[in-house]
Amino acid sequence: MATPTSIKLDDDLKGRVQHLADARRRSPHWLMREAIEQYVVREENREAFKQDALRAWEDYQATGLHATADDVEKWLNSWGTDHEELAPTCHE
């Protein structure tokens, strides 16, 4: 069961939410809930990306293994062509 939560909006923002809710034929509650959910998903994805980058940096520091930007760019540019290349090999 959902726990009630309140949010205080200034009159201008409250009016904008109401106007958009009316235009979408939704309730202001639905609109705010949707906006919050999209924000949370976006921020969770951003945090996951950041954590992946930190793990990759730590792995690089520990092993020294990497692929050059030129190798990766060449590989990516081959995608969808008749001469698609294998992913570049990591090296020190």
Side-chain angles (χ1 to χ4, degrees), residues 2-83:
T3 304
T5 303
S6 64
I7 183 169
K8 294 182 193 254
L9 304 176
D10 62 47
D11 290 340
D12 179 59
L13 184 54
K14 187 176 181 179
R16 291 168 58 200
V17 169
Q18 183 64 57
H19 178 74
L20 189 54
D22 292 343
R24 300 279 162 83
R25 296 183 181 185
R26 296 287 188 166
S27 69
H29 174 267
W30 183 93
L31 194 74
M32 289 184 283
R33 191 173 178 283
E34 183 73 14
I36 291 168
E37 184 173 349
Q38 287 179 18
Y39 173 82
V40 169
V41 167
R42 184 181 70 234
E43 292 304 310
E44 287 171 339
N45 289 337
R46 178 181 281 174
E47 185 59 28
F49 179 80
K50 179 182 165 187
Q51 294 304 316
D52 286 347
L54 289 173
R55 280 190 294 278
W57 175 244
E58 290 168 358
D59 188 51
Y60 167 73
Q61 287 179 312
T63 66
L65 293 175
H66 67 283
T68 66
D70 288 339
D71 289 344
V72 172
E73 186 174 359
K74 184 179 175 187
W75 171 56
L76 292 174
N77 286 334
S78 76
W79 286 10
T81 69
D82 292 336
H83 305 289

